Amino acid sequence: MKVTLLGAGAWGTAMAAQATRHLNEGDVCLWSRSQQQLQDIQKSGENREYLSGIQLPEGLKLESDFAAAIKRLSSDDLLVIATPMSGLSETIAQVLKVAEHPLNIIWLCKGLEPDTALLPHQVVERESKIHSHGITHSYGALSGPSFAREVGAGMPCALTVASKSAKLCEVVQAAFHHGNMRVYSSDDLIGVELGGAIKNVLAIAAGIGDGLDLGLNARAAVLTRGLAEMMRLVKAAGGKSETCMGLTGVGDLILTATGDLSRNRRVGLELAAGKSLSEILASLGHVAEGVLCAQAVGDLAKRLDVEMPITAMMGEVLSGKLRPHDAVKKLMGRDPKIES
């Protein structure tokens, strides 16, 4: 089989390496709009901009021609969109314009579209109505607790592919389920996508708590009550609340809220240290999706009449309406509730 990954950031590069380790030379193609970036990868053998120090397999094919990267695929192959959430709409629109037959399409981004509070699959469905030319594609999300650097290095990892298409799930597993990576399947696209979005916001909250030196008890409370918020919203949105207890919910939440490689956790830590959000984002060098989708998650919760106090406080902190320590006071000052 052939695999094309669109986007040569850290995550796209890491997953390209994972697929290349198993498939034949030239079967995996990594596309980037930057010819200079691809030339540097070709010369150095690594993506020094996003994944420095990780040697990439020699069989990985590099491509700067977008149409060629798409048209190399048959209906049995796999297309992976490895852009941030902000690039999903434009990328899928371009894919649909180029595609000449049905494709198996997955995305790696986690979050909601900021202006509309749409989930990734809803963005794809919107663009499909405009650009699909009558072709029906299979699509889904690949998510779970994973840092790109560890995946790129071939360290153990477990992910979940979510789709209504059983065939698509099998294609994704054939591409990535080997070596030190396990890929489970799910039909709960809503639950998997919302879990991936909300955990980023909660990781910022956990980072703030740690940065303010509130203690391990406080961290446990944030993660547990944050998980309850996640489950409520998933159920209200039409997903399965039990999905939140799996890899793409509690698993990804634990990783992102506690791992030192987490950009969202780092945002929380530096907000607690008194740095401005603009200063923090300028120093990251990568996208922190929790910052971009916090307000959208809050908007969706309001639309569905779901109470999410931790998420709501993060929206106010990130918008500059509330200082981190004041958000903690507001949360701790809420009336007592029944836990369930």
Side-chain angles (χ1 to χ4, degrees), residues 39-70:
Q39 290 174 350
D40 185 68
I41 293 174
Q42 185 72 51
K43 181 179 179 180
S44 66
E46 62 183 69
N47 189 336
R48 294 190 292 188
E49 183 177 3
Y50 292 102
L51 215 59
S52 62
I54 302 294
Q55 284 295 123
L56 300 178
E58 293 183 0
L60 176 61
K61 175 181 173 61
L62 304 176
E63 181 62 75
S64 61
D65 185 321
F66 187 86
I70 305 300

Side-chain angles (χ1 to χ4, degrees), residues 198-209 212 222 229 264 267-268 271 277 290-291 293-295 297-298 308-328 331:
I198 298 167
K199 61 90 180 179
N200 284 329
V201 182
L202 297 174
I204 296 175
I208 287 175
L212 293 175
V222 166
E229 292 186 13
N264 291 285
V267 168
L271 283 171
L277 184 59
V291 174
C293 78
Q295 187 60 52
V297 172
M308 300 183 70
I310 298 174
T311 303
M313 289 301 103
M314 287 306 96
E316 292 195 38
V317 169
L318 292 168
S319 66
K321 297 177 182 177
L322 203 61
R323 292 179 298 179
H325 67 272
D326 290 331
V328 174
L331 285 170

Side-chain angles (χ1 to χ4, degrees), residues 110-336:
K110 300 173 183 178
L112 277 68
E113 192 173 59
D115 294 337
T116 64
L118 292 177
L119 290 166
H121 78 273
Q122 294 170 326
V123 172
V124 171
E125 289 172 350
R126 180 190 65 201
E127 298 302 320
S128 295
K129 291 178 182 178
I130 303 171
H131 304 293
S132 65
H133 308 299
I135 301 175
T136 301
H137 303 280
S138 298
Y139 59 81
L142 182 62
S143 188
S146 49
F147 288 138
R149 175 159 294 278
E150 293 188 0
V151 170
M155 299 172 71
C157 175
L159 303 175
T160 297
V161 55
S163 176
K164 298 300 182 183
S165 167
K167 177 190 173 183
L168 174 68
C169 292
E170 292 173 358
V171 170
V172 173
Q173 289 172 322
F176 297 117
H177 185 104
H178 55 84
N180 276 333
M181 178 174 285
R182 295 187 58 81
V183 180
Y184 296 85
S185 63
S186 170
D187 63 358
D188 185 15
L189 194 49
I190 292 174
V192 165
E193 288 186 327
L194 268 180
I198 298 167
K199 61 90 180 179
N200 284 329
V201 182
L202 297 174
I204 296 175
I208 287 175
D210 289 346
L212 293 175
D213 199 23
L214 300 183
L216 299 179
N217 294 343
R219 182 199 288 176
V222 166
L223 298 188
T224 306
R225 296 311 304 160
L227 180 61
E229 292 186 13
M230 181 190 296
M231 295 176 74
R232 288 198 294 267
L233 187 60
V234 165
K235 183 177 180 179
K240 303 174 183 177
S241 58
E242 57 265 32
T243 299
C244 299
M245 300 307 296
L247 289 167
T248 61
V250 67
D252 212 354
L253 175 59
I254 292 171
L255 180 77
T256 312
T258 65
D260 291 337
L261 294 176
S262 168
R263 295 188 295 273
N264 291 285
R265 169 176 162 76
R266 180 177 164 188
V267 168
L269 289 168
E270 298 197 2
L271 283 171
K275 294 184 180 180
S276 69
L277 184 59
S278 59
E279 181 183 3
I280 296 168
L281 296 180
S283 68
L284 278 180
H286 298 266
V287 175
E289 292 284 11
V291 174
L292 301 177
C293 78
Q295 187 60 52
V297 172
D299 291 343
L300 179 60
K302 290 178 182 177
R303 187 189 309 164
L304 298 176
D305 194 25
V306 176
E307 186 180 29
M308 300 183 70
I310 298 174
T311 303
M313 289 301 103
M314 287 306 96
E316 292 195 38
V317 169
L318 292 168
S319 66
K321 297 177 182 177
L322 203 61
R323 292 179 298 179
H325 67 272
D326 290 331
V328 174
K329 289 181 180 178
K330 288 187 69 173
L331 285 170
M332 297 307 295
R334 298 177 71 243
D335 293 337

